[in-house]
Amino acid sequence: MFDIFKNMVKEEWRMHSSLFGHRGFALFPVFIFLFTFFVSLVLPVFREIVTDAQIALGIHYFFLLLGCMIGAFGLMGREFMNRRFGQASLIAYSSRVLPVSERFIFANFLGKDIVYYFVLYILPFVAGFSLAAEFVPAGIFSIPSVLLTLVLTLSLSFVIGISTVFFLSTVYAHSGKISLFCLFIASILLLHISGNMNQNVLYSLPSLSFFLDPSVSKLLHSGILILVPSALSIIFLKIDFPQSQKSFSNSFSKLCRLLGSYRYAAFVAKDSLDLKRSEGGLGKVIFSFVLPLTLVWILLSALGRVMPALSTLTIFALVLGVLSSSMYNWLTEYDIFASYAFLPLKVSDMIKSKLNSYLFLNLIPLAILTLLALKNEPGSLIPSMLLFLTISLYMVAVLVYLTGLSPSTNLYNAKTFALYTLSVVPLLMLNIVLSMFGPYYSLVDLLLVPFALYLLGKGFEKWDGNNCQCF
């Protein structure tokens, strides 16, 4: 039955390459390799500020989050495929016509994701890191055996993230209310722990602790965190292919009246209903936004104890502005411009309507930031809010200019992703440095506002003149 796994890998590659172009997608891991290599060249500078163990901590938790984000596709993947790729017949949804069980297909799907994204992300990352270690002092990371261990432990962190979120998706499939309640309680507990925990708690992640101090027991703990959730997901797998009939009261007119008579009221009302009624609903917000933010706040709180010069709230506002741009992806995930082609609308009209909805959704991170500021650093509330709003505007402006109505797909093109990275990373590094001098230095980011508005205008012109409006 290895043929199913092999064909799933081919299917994933063909789907991505048909979307982004064979060359553009093939160069994506090359870009990750080069980006990691050049960033790692400044490793000696970082090692003057943080220890090797803290660098390892950041890398492992980054891949844990990456695994969670990729695993979260299990929550909304079926609907995304139905709406955006209805003409495609995917192997993952073919158990009713193939002489194999749904559980076997799901196990192959999980294995395919692990192998595929290992080659796409982890391998080029470690390769770039290893090459840079040949040119600059890299401490323990310059030892070949340590680099081999790093490949293993980063893979373990990544797979722990995938298997955990797949398990949560399975729980959600059985009872959405139970899974949301569990996640809510877990988030509250994590926030409580972050305020009282010792920094060493973060090093209890089995894959990270194995990297720092290898032992068979820590490797077994990592295996348990992977195998138990994965096995439970497969045993209690629930895939209902025939969609259950749903009926909703007419809320559209009511929302339009509530929003008033401004130009994009109808579009904002439609986006809010799409988000509410689509697969996952509120689960999307928790899986792909609130949960990662909770972990980010815990990590930054621990980092603040090690580096008191850093303003935890300022850095969190910066990260919040970056992550909030993912909400633009949600709003464009299920819509295609072809559905509106018969209306007197331009692509820029659709983008502007999504930006209006994006503005309303930003009230969620703004409320989170306000609550954390009032509890921890009331004096930094105003500069942190301005930083968040400015970075959020700039990030979505870059997304609109580079990707239009298809950020989820266009960013996998190596050239587009390189431009996106070059537009964002230097700015983030500058803000991290400025945060060491006080929260009010971040107000210099207000200079980005006119540039972001200019970029939006150029983006509207660009996509109105683009002949391919398939996505």
Side-chain angles (χ1 to χ4, degrees), residues 52-67 125 140-141 146 149-161 202-203 205-212 222 295 299:
D52 289 343
Q54 290 164 349
I55 293 173
L57 182 145
I59 296 173
H60 282 79
Y61 273 93
F62 170 78
F63 276 94
L64 178 70
L65 280 173
L66 183 63
F125 178 89
I140 62 171
F141 299 106
V146 172
T149 306
L150 185 65
V151 175
L152 171 63
T153 55
L154 289 183
S155 302
L156 290 173
S157 296
F158 178 74
V159 179
I160 288 172
L202 291 173
Y203 291 95
L205 180 68
S207 54
L208 172 61
S209 59
F210 178 81
F211 174 78
L212 297 174
S222 297
L295 186 55
L299 291 172

Side-chain angles (χ1 to χ4, degrees), residues 12-59:
E12 190 86 7
W13 170 263
R14 288 168 181 167
M15 185 171 65
H16 280 111
S17 59
S18 64
L19 285 173
F20 322 123
H22 293 276
R23 182 180 300 176
F25 184 65
L27 290 174
F28 187 76
V30 176
F31 170 76
I32 292 178
F33 166 78
L34 293 174
F35 177 75
T36 307
F37 169 72
F38 286 114
V39 169
S40 299
L41 290 177
V42 298
L43 196 60
V45 178
F46 286 109
R47 294 182 67 241
E48 293 293 326
I49 305 172
V50 294
T51 64
D52 289 343
Q54 290 164 349
I55 293 173
L57 182 145
I59 296 173

Side-chain angles (χ1 to χ4, degrees), residues 20 31 47 57 71 80 104 113 120 144 167 169 188 221 226 237 304 319 349 390 396 421 457:
F20 322 123
F31 170 76
R47 294 182 67 241
L57 182 145
F80 173 74
F104 185 81
D113 266 7
L120 193 66
F167 171 71
S169 299
I188 296 297
H221 289 159
I226 293 169
L237 180 66
V319 175
D349 293 321
T390 304
V396 78
T421 304

